[in-house]
Amino acid sequence: MGYASLEPHLPSSHAPLLPPGTFLSISDTQASDGNFLLHHFISNYIKADQNVVLVGLAGILVHYTMVGRKLGVNLATARTKGNFQFVDGLTQLTDYAAPNKEYLAKPVETKPSSTTTTATPSPNTTTSTMGARIARPAAATATPPAPPKVLSYSPKLVDLYKALEEIIQDTASKTTGPFQKQLVLILDDLSVLLNCGWPCRDVLALVRYLKLLVAKVNGTLITLVHADGLMAEEVSQDGLVKGVFYEADYIVDVRGLDSGGSRDVHGQLSLLHGPGYLLRQRAGQVRENEWPALTLHYKILDNNVEVFAKGYSSGVL
Amino acid sequence: MAPILEKIMAGKEASPFILVKDSLEQSGQVLGLELLSNSPSDHAIILVCAETAPDRLLPLVKGNQKKAIVDCYSNPLGWVKDITTTSTGTSSNRDAVSDSTTTTITLTLRNIRKATKAITDLIISQRSNFTIYFDSLSQFLIASVPDTFNLLRSITTLLTDTSRIIAIHHEDIPDADSFLPNSTSKPQASNSLAHIATTLITVKSSEALRQDQEDFRKGTVTAKEFCYLTVHGNAWDSAVCEVEHKRKSGKVAKETNAYHQGTPTGKLTVVNVWDVVGDMPDIDKMDLEESQTSDPAANLSFNLNLTEEQRKAKNDTVLPYLKTQESTGAIYYEPDAADDFDDDDPDDDLTI
């Protein structure tokens, strides 16, 4: 279980997982980080022995591993088992990392006829047919998990999409059989792509393509985007948040309290109905009270997050 | 008199271009689909899906008309080579669609001009009156504003007597021009669209209007912290619609109506906006109360009234210069002892 007090508020049809083929969008602010929600889902999916593909654009694997440990999941074991895939989208996303390339994980030259990888006796390397630039581990198989795949710089976001597409199809293909595992693709976070210079329209298109891709493999998409009021004046930031809200099936908005900071309540968490939800409701695809629109308060503890109704903080009662 | 929205929904008011303006807070998609479902039975329905998956939109269009789908949703930027209209994981109930066969063409939004050609060709191939439905013009506008207008113009040239365009426009999504510097000098796409539309329906959430009314009643404005979407957003039971309808005669009908739904999947009924939002405080009554000011000398701690004697004395005082107020305007000059009075005209020596 991730956070027990959050569980009752999430859609219950596939609990503790999310319904496949849907898109959950988390928005947060500088004052209230929405990261804690991602850890909840990572923990739930891994404990349920399903697949997680985590694209760390704003965080490194060590961070997720440490938080995972507090929540009772061992990400290293999950990686060896093949349940958990981490994609490093932080270290080499922009070409600013180029001068320091020798200090970073080596992305091997990924021409289709890559001789370096085929030379090593590794029975399980899947040959990449596309020219997507993904770092392939020099040593394959064996008990130590391969270093995470790295997303390297490309001026066009379509290359990033292709790299992710390959990883996802790879992961999904490993679990064939009677019980197709559910997959969750987590992007942490989208605002990084905007800040690195890709245009808002491309980032929104990436979200659309990933949503469609993930739905084909019985999966769910979860993204995190920053939605501060101060950023709303900037057209691309504003456009990104609104675009993501229009695409999403479920929206969770994490915000600071209106009245300021507090020791017992760290912020508010709103489950919102976006335009997508209204349409699904009209089509009758939504069960009653599956996702009521409400605002809750939360408090982050050392190895748990308490979510409670407004006014019911344990500091008050 | 039936609300104008009801007449438009029933088709009693002809309108070649219906524009539904909505926002994150209240989606106009439900209203748009209802308008579409009421299309005449001889119309071919063309669904241009840019924001919703076709298999999610199609079942929501009731009616037995022939349907065609323009799928701009599955491959908006052409990143995927071989694409067939994808399903979003939910079962596409193709059986629910009646015996009409549906043609589907997939387009990218990279080049709106090519898309325009494809759409106009599709319309011409239908060879009948048509209703074309854009589930989001914003996806087109974010690509190119002028090309989107050209697309609409090209479709307008193909409109017959009863054919029409129904389009949803999200007024809060920036268009392509907003991303460029100095965008404030360009005309806003929103306004330009409102110009060419014959019916403009702006959808707002009922809760927002209720809160405005509360503020008006209290005389204050509640401070709202910034957020993109509130918990009251996209309520399924009702919404307020501000309708501006331009008739062929040139008259413009402007009304605020509302719609109400009994169940999330139920029928839409047009109602009076006050039924949904609650009674508006009577503005005329409030104005009248203010103008009938009560006696200002009533509740003071000191006495401003006059006794009878004081009133008589007041009326009897002779004000100085009262005589002059009644005179003709002639100047009465009475020189003092110090004045040097001279009867001569000082201007005599002038030879003008």
Side-chain angles (χ1 to χ4, degrees), chain A residues 65-122:
Chain A
T65 315
M66 284 170 51
V67 179
R69 202 175 299 156
K70 288 189 180 172
L71 293 178
V73 273
N74 189 332
L75 290 184
T77 332
R79 279 183 70 218
T80 336
K81 264 172 64 180
N83 277 359
F84 178 72
Q85 278 262 37
F86 182 74
V87 182
D88 176 352
L90 182 82
T91 51
Q92 293 181 41
L93 194 67
T94 60
D95 54 355
Y96 296 158
N100 295 324
K101 268 221 155 68
E102 59 266 25
Y103 300 114
L104 301 168
K106 275 257 179 290
V108 184
E109 261 70 51
T110 51
K111 295 267 167 53
S113 55
S114 117
T115 48
T116 36
T117 46
T118 47
T120 54
S122 44

Side-chain angles (χ1 to χ4, degrees), chain A residues 35 38 42 53-64 84-94 148-154 157 159-161 163-164 167 185-198 202-204 206-207 210 221-226 240:
Chain A
N35 229 286
L38 298 180
I42 295 172
V53 177
L54 172 62
V55 182
L57 293 159
I60 50 174
L61 181 57
V62 176
H63 168 71
Y64 298 104
F84 178 72
Q85 278 262 37
F86 182 74
V87 182
D88 176 352
L90 182 82
T91 51
Q92 293 181 41
L93 194 67
T94 60
K149 306 218 163 70
V150 182
L151 291 176
S152 44
Y153 171 70
S154 161
L157 210 53
D159 295 329
L160 208 96
Y161 168 69
L164 288 174
I167 296 172
L185 171 64
I186 302 179
L187 292 174
D188 175 21
D189 56 61
L190 283 179
S191 304
V192 166
L193 293 174
L194 210 63
N195 296 337
C196 287
W198 282 291
D202 285 7
V203 181
L204 287 172
L206 178 71
V207 172
L210 286 175
L221 175 66
I222 300 180
T223 61
L224 180 63
V225 70
H226 297 315
L240 177 65

Side-chain angles (χ1 to χ4, degrees), chain A residues 21 158 162 201 205 208-209 211-212 229 232 238 242 246 249 255 258 272-275 278-279 281-282 293 295, chain B residues 23-24 29-30 34 50 52 56 73 75-79 109 143 170 172 225-226 228 231 234 236 261 265-266:
Chain A
V158 53
K162 293 226 161 29
R201 192 179 166 210
R208 167 78 60 81
Y209 279 105
K211 177 178 164 187
L212 289 172
D238 190 52
K242 287 179 177 157
Y246 272 104
D249 295 311
R255 214 155 274 279
D258 287 355
L272 300 172
H273 289 177
L278 189 64
L279 212 61
Q281 219 176 12
R282 184 104 178 103
T295 303
Chain B
S23 60
L24 265 179
Q29 201 76 250
V30 174
E34 193 68 23
T52 331
R56 204 175 262 189
Y73 175 80
N75 199 2
L77 290 187
W79 286 1
L109 293 176
H170 305 307
D172 49 4
E225 288 298 320
F226 174 84
Y228 277 97
V231 276
N234 291 302
W236 57 265
Q261 270 181 258
T265 51

